[in-house]
Amino acid sequence: KNHVCDHEAPISDEERVKLSPDIRDRMVKALEFKTISVEDGMEDIYSNEFVKFWHYIYEQYPRIFSSEDPDVQVDRIEFENGKETIVVIIEGTDRTLKPGLFISHADVVPAIRKEWTHDPFKPFVTEDFVQARGAYDCKSILMAQLEALHALLLNGEKPPRKTYFLFPHDEEVGGFGAQEAAKIFRERYNIQSDGFAFIIDEGMPPIRNGLPGVTKPLLTIGYTAKGYLTVELTVNYAKVGHASIPEKESSITILSDALSRINANPQPNQFGKSIEVEMMEGLVPYLPWTIKPVIANLWLFRPLVALAANFDKQMNAFFRTTSAITIFNAGYKSNVIPIQARAVVNHRIHPGQTISQVLEHLERVIDDDRVLITQEEGALEADKVTPRDSLYGRKIVHSLNRTIKDIIAIPGIFLAACDARWLQDFSDHIFRFYPFVMEKEDLPGIHGREEKLRWQSYEDGINFYLDFFRHMDENDLPPGHTEL
Ligand SMILES: CCCCCCCC/C=C\CCCCCCCC(=O)N[C@@H](CC(C)C)C(=O)O
């Protein structure tokens, strides 16, 4: 089976929510709150922004947050400085079905004003898009889910199954909100292992012109996610003296050599060890004729395709564990040779590898006892893999096809990390994706500068969630529909 039915009849005009000025304004206003997560050890001056953000959200969606309806419940998990992770629970029409869980974090990464053309927290709005920090990652999902849920409830409808929404406050710095929520799900709501039918979180974006020859928006839904490992490399080289008579080596040269070796000797290629083969096969119908015969015949061209990792950074990220040198510091005065040099390397672990294998490779490649390797907290193995034929996966693709023009959605690997990793024990069916189409040039905006959300994509995404909320029961799709 390798057929994705991408020609579903779209939802009708009556079913479709239109992007009203009110919906736009709510999104724009939500982006003004500086719900910024800062790294440990830095001054956190933004906690009150979280308080104000949620106050605003509570006002805007009264059918959810100040409802008399016993089927609508809101739980607030309190953290330091008044920050809260929020849980919304909606009772479904069929109480025999397992609940579903949607996750979307409220925090954003910092943005440096001078790198942006407009203030990242004073949204720049055009006819086509809104530009601000968090416009995509992840207030897009949070706001679209609230819009869809509010519309559903105002229409007198309920989802077919009990539905949990988890809005954590700190996904960008460790996910303590999600970890605490996992405890509360177990202890307060009595949800056991495998207690959620499915979990849906942020993940890959659908990208137009994402691959050479593929012009339609291509979404690789994360059926698994890469693992996470950060290591600190430290060199303490005490043979220092006056800068006018330097030694041949210093902490800086030793560490630089080690980093060069890491760059020159990437972690081993894992093509074929997880679901990247199925991902490539899923792409076949959409590829241009120049590449199609190669990908359609992986039995023959597998080694050739694996080689793509050496030439293309995206293929590299899909096929192997990546190592990114993210911090380097040493030295404090121009004529003093420093004793210590320090660097940080962030790894995204392919599901075909484990943390200890990555560390072994690193030690072998560095091969220098003077470089001390320490593992930072928060490392996690790659996530488990959702079954390829999951009914919920097919239903997601069905709703995507009904609401987003021309989208191609196939199972794949999520290259980054999200809060769902803390809740894996609750479901075997975890999906990581954004339902908002972006242009290829928008991609660096995520965690970068000029982050954007396109209005048409926002409208489509709201409609995706609404359609999925209505159809997330256990009934199979009619034959011929959306076989992944
Ligand atoms: C075949 C199509 C190729 C498309 C390649 C597109 C590559 C895009 C990859 C990722 C970008 C989207 C990421 C959006 C979610 C970001 C979530 C995030 O940043 N999480 C943090 C968590 C960390 C534990 C703090 C992370 O750094 O991963």
Side-chain angles (χ1 to χ4, degrees), residues 240-258:
V240 290
H242 198 275
S244 60
I245 36 170
E247 298 281 342
K248 203 162 172 43
E249 286 187 305
S250 71
S251 56
I252 295 181
T253 65
I254 295 167
L255 186 57
S256 304
D257 282 349

Side-chain angles (χ1 to χ4, degrees), residues 1-8 223 278 281-286 388-389 393-394 397-398 401 408-411 477-484:
K1 276 188 194 171
N2 205 16
H3 166 70
V4 180
C5 187
D6 60 355
H7 49 265
E8 302 293 344
Y223 273 50
E278 284 104 316
E281 285 170 350
L283 274 174
V284 168
Y286 312 102
R388 168 76 187 273
D389 60 353
R394 289 187 286 122
V397 175
H398 190 243
N401 286 329
I408 302 167
I410 55 171
L477 295 159
H481 283 251
T482 316
E483 293 168 13
L484 289 180

